Amino acid sequence: MGRSENSRNRIFELTEDGIRTRAFDESKVTDPSLIIYHPVRTAGDDTIITNGDQTDTVRDALLEGKVFAQALRERTFEPDGPNFTPRISGLLHRDGSYALSIIKSADGDPSSCRRFFFGYQPSLAGQGHFIHTYKGDGDPLPSFSGEPEQVSVPDGDAMALADGIWSDLNFENKVSLFVRTTDLATGESETVLKNKLEGD
């Protein structure tokens, strides 16, 4: 998702170990620092998903034998005042268990950082959890608060799931979507990318 022209000028591309963002029109880029990064990477059998360059921080820490929370204790919210966009991160393990995190300013005060971590054993069939960046509109935008929201995850293939999510996203703000389904028994996965600027 993206609210500014700079954020909306992006697409997802597959890489060897996940995906990266790329400017769709290089001539329109005003500041690449917060929009160009790897939102998804793997480290062994783990998959890391984030909304910023902390993906690399988590991957590097895991490869050094550290854990999810250790990696993210080095990071803070984005330096994009007055919103101070929260950093959202997820870590999915091969057995289907996962962890989620949000790092945000203290009620919009950049002098204090708050870090929250949530852990889930392999989820019940058809159930998932997510954290979104903001809890609504405002000036500045209010950060998400509370526990991750529980959502229903329908049966079906990756494309059906991606189509359902894509159609539910706010049209003005949606930019790109990555969906991967994995069969926990076989390890086989299916990946779908959608990019608004490519007509998806």
Side-chain angles (χ1 to χ4, degrees), residues 9-188:
N9 179 34
R10 293 182 292 172
I11 60 172
F12 281 167
E13 289 185 327
L14 285 171
T15 65
E16 186 178 327
D17 69 341
I19 59 172
R20 68 179 175 195
T21 61
R22 179 175 65 80
F24 183 73
D25 184 342
E26 295 283 349
S27 69
K28 293 183 178 179
V29 175
T30 56
D31 177 8
S33 65
L34 294 176
I35 65 164
I36 305 299
Y37 53 87
H38 290 88
V40 178
R41 296 196 93 158
T42 56
D45 289 334
D46 294 331
T47 302
I48 306 134
I49 308 100
T50 82
N51 70 337
D53 65 5
Q54 71 269 27
T55 315
D56 292 348
T57 303
V58 174
R59 183 202 57 174
D60 293 348
L62 293 176
L63 292 175
E64 292 171 6
K66 298 178 182 176
V67 297
F68 186 57
Q70 284 178 294
L72 292 170
R73 291 196 190 284
E74 302 174 13
R75 302 304 304 265
T76 63
F77 44 84
E78 293 183 3
D80 62 343
N83 295 317
F84 302 110
T85 301
R87 291 192 187 272
I88 298 169
S89 306
L91 178 65
L92 176 64
H93 299 293
R94 174 67 178 82
D95 66 358
S97 61
Y98 55 97
L100 297 174
S101 169
I102 183 169
I103 302 171
K104 59 184 185 174
S105 64
D107 299 320
D109 183 342
S111 68
S112 180
C113 181
R114 295 179 176 172
R115 296 174 180 87
F116 299 88
F117 298 91
F118 305 89
Y120 299 90
Q121 292 300 312
S123 197
L124 298 174
Q127 184 185 101
H129 297 87
F130 83 102
I131 298 174
H132 45 90
T133 315
Y134 305 112
K135 63 181 178 183
D137 289 323
D139 190 17
L141 293 164
S143 295
F144 177 88
S145 62
E147 291 187 22
E149 294 190 21
Q150 183 173 305
V151 292
S152 296
V153 181
D155 287 337
D157 60 17
M159 183 59 77
L161 179 58
D163 286 343
I165 295 170
W166 191 242
S167 67
D168 285 343
L169 294 176
N170 176 278
F171 180 78
E172 292 300 319
N173 293 336
K174 72 180 173 181
V175 175
S176 297
L177 177 68
F178 165 85
V179 169
R180 176 174 290 156
T181 58
T182 302
D183 185 315
L184 295 181
T186 66
E188 293 182 6

